[in-house]
Amino acid sequence: MSMSEAFAAKGRPLRVAMVTNIPAPYRIPVLERLARQPGCELHVVYCSGIEPDRAWQLQQGAFQATYLKPRFVTFRSRYVHINPDVWSALGKVKPDVVITTGFNPTHLLAYAWARLHGAAHVPMTDGTWTSENLLSGVHRFLRRVVYAGSGAFIGASEGSMALYRSYGLAASRMFKSHLCANNEAFLAMPPVTKVHDLLVAGRIVAGKNPMFALAVAQRLAQRMGPRLQRPVRLAFLGSGEMEAEVRAAAAQLPTDQVRVDFLGFAQQDSLPGHYARARVLLFPTAMDTWGVVANEACAAGLPVIVTPEAGVAGDLVLDGVNGRVMPMDVERWAQAAEQLLCDEVMYAAMSRAACSQVVAYNFDAAATGIWDAVKMAVSGGAR
């Protein structure tokens, strides 16, 4: 008898509470599928309805949710949530399993509630060994404490699995729940005229290196020269604190070499059309624990050029298969983009591989990974 069946025999489903920062478009469909698992009663506890650097317009998912009173501080451009009312919120839900998606004070309070009340605990991260390699001793100590009292572990990528292994955790207790895009919406997009050679998607902030993308576009134009017979077209899809600076820099580029379009922030339903009009995604991030823009690009059939610092590198994006993974070097990136734009056979092969590779990264599989971890935690208890 499975754990969910055992709880059903007692006359009630397995109550699962997930404590997480804010609603996200790539998580809501996963949580809806988790809530539909037979024997699962899901309740999501959000630290806040939104954070200042997000502009998503989202509908409430088809699951129970509680929004705590927003309390956070900004530290190194990150929002650190401190919600003491998470304690009373969990007391009302009375979960059998508590999932926490970080190590903010709110998450640590939720972990403490679980331990004190006999609930199983499952940490969930999209962090990687690379992204957490420089954490302080205090941060590592807190993780060791939480991991020692947890029954299973959820990660978004191979990098997350490497992170868990670095703490000596058993592979049998690790479960993968990828970050996903709405693959079907992108794959169903009818063919449209390609407008942009290069696309940069996401927030226009320093960590995404928008100036580097401008330099790549200009160098690509210089390399291709008269063969192209028009300017290289680069588009920024998104907004952010560096937008005015990037616009000013773009205006200084020779108009006969590079044309830069700023498409602004786009809501989820308009994304497939924007990607469909581009040829190659540039993702020169300094550090992304995953990078859902790569999911979106692959689903739209775009090869991706990405830095090794993104979680998708070597996982969703495979070098030479559906894109290129390489350090930030203007000449190398321009050469890679030139090969893709000039070699139709290579481009077609990588485009097909991108669509094929992203299929496994879907909402159903992500929900299954979470549910499997929950069942493991309930059956096995704390390590």
Side-chain angles (χ1 to χ4, degrees):
M1 181 182 293
S2 69
M3 284 299 106
S4 55
E5 291 171 336
F7 275 86
K10 296 179 181 179
R12 69 172 181 85
L14 180 61
R15 289 194 291 264
V16 180
M18 176 180 288
V19 180
T20 190
N21 289 358
I22 60 173
Y26 46 83
R27 279 297 185 201
I28 289 176
V30 176
L31 297 178
E32 290 179 328
R33 285 159 173 78
L34 177 60
R36 293 199 295 265
Q37 293 285 346
C40 178
E41 181 182 303
L42 176 65
H43 197 114
V44 181
V45 180
Y46 290 114
C47 299
S48 177
I50 195 69
E51 290 175 340
D53 62 345
R54 302 295 185 182
W56 294 319
Q57 295 176 5
L58 305 173
Q59 294 183 339
Q60 171 58 43
F63 48 82
Q64 300 179 75
T66 294
Y67 292 83
L68 303 176
K69 183 178 180 180
R71 295 174 183 269
F72 59 83
V73 296
T74 305
F75 180 71
R76 295 178 180 174
S77 301
R78 294 180 179 273
Y79 299 101
V80 180
H81 294 271
I82 310 170
N83 306 87
D85 49 337
V86 69
W87 196 271
S88 59
L90 290 173
K92 293 176 182 178
V93 176
K94 296 181 173 60
D96 304 296
V97 181
V98 176
I99 302 172
T100 55
T101 63
F103 289 88
N104 282 186
T106 303
H107 299 123
L108 296 177
L109 278 172
Y111 167 76
W113 188 97
R115 296 295 288 165
L116 184 63
H117 292 84
H121 178 260
V122 179
M124 180 174 178
T125 186
D126 52 3
T128 67
W129 185 88
T130 301
S131 70
E132 296 197 3
N133 193 34
L134 299 179
L135 287 179
S136 69
V138 172
H139 286 93
R140 290 182 182 276
F141 172 76
L142 286 173
R143 280 156 174 73
R144 291 188 183 280
V145 170
V146 171
Y147 293 161
S150 300
F153 309 89
I154 305 170
S157 65
E158 289 296 330
S160 301
M161 301 298 106
L163 172 64
Y164 285 141
R165 286 194 297 272
S166 73
Y167 285 92
L169 304 177
S172 61
R173 292 185 176 273
M174 300 178 197
F175 298 86
K176 198 173 289 186
S177 179
H178 291 296
L179 297 183
C180 312
N182 185 355
N183 294 343
E184 289 74 16
F186 289 87
L187 294 169
M189 185 72 189
V192 297
T193 302
K194 297 290 187 181
V195 176
H196 300 108
D197 302 299
L198 307 174
L199 176 68
V200 177
R203 291 179 297 150
I204 306 178
V205 295
K208 308 293 185 179
N209 293 301
M211 294 297 191
F212 175 81
L214 288 179
V216 170
Q218 184 175 19
R219 183 62 189 129
L220 174 62
Q222 294 167 349
R223 289 181 62 95
M224 298 188 71
R227 286 180 296 160
L228 192 58
Q229 297 183 337
R230 61 170 176 78
V232 167
R233 294 196 62 171
L234 167 67
F236 285 93
L237 178 60
S239 58
E241 60 193 32
M242 282 189 66
E243 183 173 346
E245 182 181 348
V246 177
R247 282 180 177 271
Q252 299 301 312
L253 297 176
T255 56
D256 62 332
Q257 292 185 8
V258 181
R259 174 176 170 178
V260 184
D261 296 318
F262 291 85
L263 307 178
F265 177 83
Q267 295 297 342
Q268 296 297 301
D269 57 355
S270 66
L271 290 178
H274 286 301
Y275 280 90
R277 288 186 285 273
R279 291 180 173 84
V280 176
L281 178 75
L282 299 184
F283 190 18
T285 179
M287 179 56 66
D288 261 85
T289 52
W290 182 252
V292 176
V293 294
N295 295 68
E296 296 165 344
C298 288
L302 274 63
V304 179
I305 306 178
V306 63
T307 61
E309 285 70 34
V312 295
D315 195 317
L316 172 60
V317 181
L318 304 178
D319 188 44
V321 177
N322 60 335
R324 297 302 313 275
V325 179
M326 55 180 62
M328 284 176 53
D329 179 282
V330 171
E331 189 67 30
R332 290 183 63 188
W333 279 53
Q335 182 182 23
E338 181 184 17
Q339 289 176 331
L340 284 167
L341 295 174
C342 294
D343 189 331
E344 294 183 4
V345 174
M346 174 189 288
Y347 184 90
M350 285 201 177
S351 178
R352 289 192 300 270
C355 294
S356 176
Q357 180 73 5
V358 79
V359 168
Y361 298 74
N362 61 74
F363 297 139
D364 289 316
T368 298
I370 298 173
W371 185 231
D372 287 345
V374 165
K375 291 184 290 184
M376 169 63 78
V378 172
S379 64
R383 184 169 64 86

